[in-house]
Amino acid sequence: MNFPYSSKKWLTLSIAAVMATSIGVGAVASESGTAAPASQTQGSQQNDKATTAATADNSKVDANKTDATKADTAATEDKAAANGTADAKAADAKNTSPSGTTGTTNASDSTSAAEQMTLAKAIEQAMQTNSKIQTARLEAKTADINQSLAYDSAADMRGLLDRSLEASKQKYIGTKQADLTKKLNQLAVKVTENQVKLGVQQAYYNLLHAQADLELKKQSLNRAQTQLKVAKAAFDVGTKAKTDILQAEMGVAGAQAALAAAENTLEINGMKFNEIIGVDVNKKWKLTPENKQIAAPAMNLQQAQEQALKQRHEIVQKEGELELANTTVNVLEDWSMQATYNGRIAKNNVEKAKLAIEEQNRQIKTEVAEAYLNLNAARVAIDFRKKAMEAAAESYRLTNLRFENGLATTLEVIQAEEELAEKENQHLEAIRNYNLAVVNFENALGVNK
C-alpha cells in the first residue's frame, strides 16, 4: 500500500497529535466549574446522544427479551395447565368405574376384558356367525319352502285325479314326506352345527397350546441368556475359555429361533380360530385355560357305542329315510301294485335304506372305538410326559450345579436345557392331545353341550 508521506513525516505528525491531545486534556482539568468550549460541548452532546441511542437500543433489546421471556413463561404455564387438565381427566377416568364408583379400571383393562374368550363363548359366537352354519340354515329353509310348494301343487292335482293311485300317493306320501323332509333338514343343520362345534373346540385348544408354547419358549430363552452371562463372567475371571461363550451364544441363538417360530405358530392358529368362529381374522384374544381332563365320560367301550347309536343325528336321519321308503311301499300295497315298476323301485328303496342304517351303525361304532382308544392313550401319555419333564428339570438343575463347581462344561448345560425344553413341550402337547381326544370322544357319542 502506498502512503502519501514518508515514514519520518508520519512520525512527526503522530507526535504532534499526541501533544495536542495532552494539552486539551489539561485545559479541561484546570477549568473545572467553567463551560467547555463549543466544539467540546458539541462532541460531548454527540457522545451523549450516541450513548442514549445505544441505551435505548439496549432497552429495546432487553424489552424484546423480556417479552420473549414472558411469552415463553405464558406458553409454559399454558402447557402445564393443559397437562394438568389432561392428567386430571386421566385420573378421573382411571378412578371412576362404569357404575360411577371409584375403581382402578382404565382403558387398557377394559380392552383386555373385552378380548377375554372362553370356550363356551367361542362356540356361542360360531353358532351365530359361522358361514357354514348360516348356509345350512338357509338351505334348510329353502328346502322347506320347496317342499311346501310341491305339496300345494299336489293338492291341486288331487282334485283332478280323484281316486287314482297318484292321488293317494300325493295324499299320504306327500304329507308324510313334507313332515319328514322338514325333520331331516333340521337334523342336517344339527349335524353341521356339531361339526363346526368340534372345529371350534379343536381350534381353541390349538390356540391355547400355541400361547402356552410361546411362554415356554420365552422361559427357555431366559435360561439360555442366563447361561451366557455366567459364561462371560467366568471368562472374565479366567476360569472358562472363549469357547464356553461361543457355545452359550449358540444356545441363545437357538432359543431365539424357537421363540420366533412359536410366535408365527401363534399368529397362524389365531387366524384359524377367528376364521371358524366367523370374526375378523386379525382379532386378538386372551383365552381362558380350559382343562377337560375331568370332563371325559366314564364308561366302557360297549356303553359308549350304545349311547352313540341312540344320540347321533346321522342315525336318526337314516331311520327317517327308511320310514319314508316304507310309507311309499305301504301305499302301493293298498293298491295291489307290487308287481309294477313303481312297486319294485319302492321295495329297492326300502332295502337301500336298511343297508344305509347298517353301514351308518358300523361307521359310528368304529368312530366311537377309535375315539375311546385315543382317549385312553392320551390319558396315559400325560402321566408319562409329566414324569419325563420332572426328570429333565432335575437333570438341568444338577448340571448347572456341576457347572458352578467347574465339573461341567457350558455345552453340557446347554444340552440339559434343550432336553428340559423338549420335555416341557412334550408335556404341553400331551395335555393338548388329551383335551382334543376328549372333545373328539364327546363328538363321536353325539354329546350336545
Side-chain angles (χ1 to χ4, degrees):
M1 186 173 187
N2 296 324
F3 294 97
Y5 305 106
S6 64
S7 58
K8 184 177 182 181
K9 185 67 173 179
W10 274 108
L11 181 59
T12 303
L13 292 174
S14 300
I15 292 172
V18 172
M19 292 177 65
T21 303
S22 300
I23 295 171
V25 172
V28 172
S30 62
E31 293 181 359
S32 58
T34 60
S39 59
Q40 185 177 349
T41 303
Q42 184 176 2
S44 299
Q45 291 176 351
Q46 291 177 354
N47 291 334
D48 294 338
K49 290 181 179 180
T51 302
T52 303
T55 303
D57 293 337
N58 291 334
S59 300
K60 290 180 179 180
V61 172
D62 293 337
N64 292 333
K65 290 182 179 180
T66 302
D67 294 338
T69 302
K70 291 181 178 179
D72 292 340
T73 303
T76 302
E77 292 175 352
D78 292 340
K79 183 176 180 180
N83 291 335
T85 304
D87 292 340
K89 291 181 178 179
D92 292 339
K94 181 177 181 181
N95 295 327
T96 303
S97 62
S99 60
T101 60
T102 301
T104 59
T105 303
N106 53 25
S108 61
D109 293 336
S110 300
T111 303
S112 299
E115 293 178 351
Q116 290 284 344
M117 175 61 72
T118 64
L119 181 57
K121 287 176 60 178
I123 294 175
E124 181 181 358
Q125 179 70 44
M127 293 299 110
Q128 298 175 358
T129 55
N130 181 271
S131 58
K132 290 184 179 180
I133 293 179
Q134 292 176 331
T135 301
R137 289 170 180 169
L138 291 174
E139 289 177 349
K141 292 179 180 180
T142 301
D144 291 343
I145 294 174
N146 290 334
Q147 185 62 35
S148 299
L149 291 175
Y151 182 77
D152 292 341
S153 299
D156 295 337
M157 189 179 297
R158 283 198 298 271
L160 298 175
L161 296 178
D162 195 19
R163 296 284 302 170
S164 65
L165 175 62
E166 285 297 324
S168 297
K169 288 174 61 178
Q170 293 296 335
K171 180 179 180 180
Y172 296 104
I173 299 178
T175 303
K176 191 72 174 179
Q177 187 175 15
D179 295 338
L180 186 56
T181 299
K182 186 174 182 179
K183 181 180 179 180
L184 294 177
N185 291 337
Q186 294 174 348
L187 289 173
V189 173
K190 290 293 184 182
V191 170
T192 302
E193 289 177 350
N194 286 342
Q195 292 174 349
V196 172
K197 174 188 172 184
L198 177 62
V200 171
Q201 290 173 319
Q202 292 173 339
Y204 188 92
Y205 283 113
N206 286 335
L207 181 56
L208 195 63
H209 173 266
Q211 290 180 347
D213 184 61
L214 180 62
E215 294 303 318
L216 286 182
K217 295 301 186 293
K218 290 179 180 179
Q219 294 177 11
S220 180
L221 178 59
N222 289 335
R223 290 195 294 260
Q225 290 173 339
T226 301
Q227 181 59 31
L228 178 59
K229 293 179 181 179
V230 173
K232 287 182 177 180
F235 175 77
D236 292 338
V237 298
T239 59
K240 294 294 180 181
K242 182 68 174 179
T243 54
D244 290 287
I245 295 180
L246 296 176
Q247 291 171 349
E249 289 175 345
M250 178 187 66
V252 171
Q256 289 174 340
L259 179 61
E263 290 173 345
N264 292 339
T265 302
L266 178 61
E267 289 294 325
I268 293 173
N269 282 282
M271 291 183 179
K272 291 181 178 179
F273 175 73
N274 289 330
E275 180 183 3
I276 196 168
I277 66 175
V279 299
D280 182 13
V281 295
N282 295 318
K283 190 173 181 60
K284 304 299 180 182
W285 302 103
K286 184 177 180 181
L287 302 187
T288 301
E290 296 280 349
N291 189 353
K292 297 186 72 66
Q293 293 190 36
I294 62 175
M299 61 182 69
N300 58 38
L301 178 57
Q302 182 178 358
Q303 292 172 339
Q305 290 174 334
E306 292 175 356
Q307 181 175 335
L309 294 178
K310 295 177 181 178
Q311 296 181 159
R312 289 283 291 268
H313 295 303
E314 294 89 339
I315 289 294
V316 180
Q317 187 175 5
K318 297 301 180 183
E319 291 175 349
E321 294 174 355
L322 176 60
E323 182 181 357
L324 179 61
N326 283 324
T327 302
T328 303
V329 171
N330 292 335
V331 172
L332 294 175
E333 285 178 349
D334 291 341
W335 288 87
S336 300
M337 296 288 293
Q338 294 299 315
T340 62
Y341 292 113
N342 290 334
R344 282 181 286 177
I345 292 174
K347 284 188 173 183
N348 290 339
N349 289 336
V350 170
E351 295 301 321
K352 287 172 58 179
K354 291 179 180 179
L355 292 174
I357 290 177
E358 293 178 1
E359 178 64 24
Q360 189 67 62
N361 287 341
R362 287 192 294 269
Q363 182 178 350
I364 289 177
K365 286 183 177 181
T366 302
E367 292 177 359
V368 172
E370 182 179 359
Y372 184 86
L373 296 175
N374 289 338
L375 179 59
N376 288 333
R379 183 185 294 111
V380 175
I382 285 183
D383 296 333
F384 168 70
R385 296 301 181 187
K386 182 179 180 181
K387 292 179 180 179
M389 180 185 66
E390 292 173 350
E394 180 64 14
S395 176
Y396 174 71
R397 187 187 70 81
L398 294 176
T399 304
N400 258 326
L401 186 61
R402 291 172 56 233
F403 176 81
E404 293 174 358
N405 290 277
L407 301 176
T409 64
T410 301
L411 181 59
E412 290 175 333
V413 176
I414 293 174
Q415 291 174 344
E417 196 282 327
E418 290 176 349
E419 180 70 14
L420 174 58
E422 181 180 358
K423 298 306 180 183
E424 288 175 340
N425 291 336
Q426 290 176 354
H427 178 252
L428 187 64
E429 289 177 359
I431 295 176
R432 189 270 306 270
N433 292 338
Y434 183 83
N435 288 330
L436 292 178
V438 171
V439 298
N440 286 330
F441 182 60
E442 291 176 345
N443 183 73
L445 291 180
V447 175
N448 296 316
K449 291 185 178 180

